[in-house]
Amino acid sequence: MLEELRERDIRLEADGLMLHVDAPAGAITEELRSALREHKRALIRLLERERRRLEEADRRGLIIKWSREPGYVSLHDPTTGEWHEIATSDCPPWVLEDARARRRRKGEKR
């Protein structure tokens, strides 16, 4: 439901037990308003979980390491908390040097 709302440019924000909705004019139908009320607690929990995950990702920052897949590096995106696999041929030299330095510091095997 959250993804569908975001696709419709409807933004939700949890503030304690309050759920703030920011939506374009006319985007909130009675049916949607009812669904938001029905799923309010679950949406608040999901938003809080997402907020904590993003805070942790921000704390960790950008991490670059060799992937388990040969010829790739793994990048941890601090803005989303997601890991991305990037072919080494598509990486700028500084990314590869960071991956090499991390491997040397951690004693990782390639």
Side-chain angles (χ1 to χ4, degrees), residues 46-105:
L46 182 61
L47 289 167
E48 285 299 318
R49 190 175 316 127
E50 187 176 75
R51 181 189 57 75
R52 285 190 305 273
R53 184 176 57 85
L54 290 175
E55 285 175 355
E56 174 64 18
D58 186 48
R59 185 188 66 74
R60 293 176 78 183
L62 175 65
I63 299 173
I64 302 169
K65 65 181 185 176
W66 290 105
S67 173
R68 290 184 176 144
E69 184 69 31
Y72 286 82
V73 293
S74 295
L75 300 174
H76 176 260
D77 183 345
T79 62
T80 64
E82 297 174 350
W83 284 91
H84 303 279
E85 301 291 314
I86 311 293
T88 55
S89 59
D90 295 336
C91 293
W94 68 268
V95 169
L96 300 178
E97 184 51 42
D98 276 10
R100 287 184 194 104
R102 179 181 172 85
R103 183 175 45 197
R104 285 191 299 268
R105 283 192 312 273

Side-chain angles (χ1 to χ4, degrees), residues 66-67 103 106-110:
W66 290 105
S67 173
R103 183 175 45 197
K106 299 285 186 179
E108 295 174 355
K109 302 238 188 234
R110 189 163 186 201

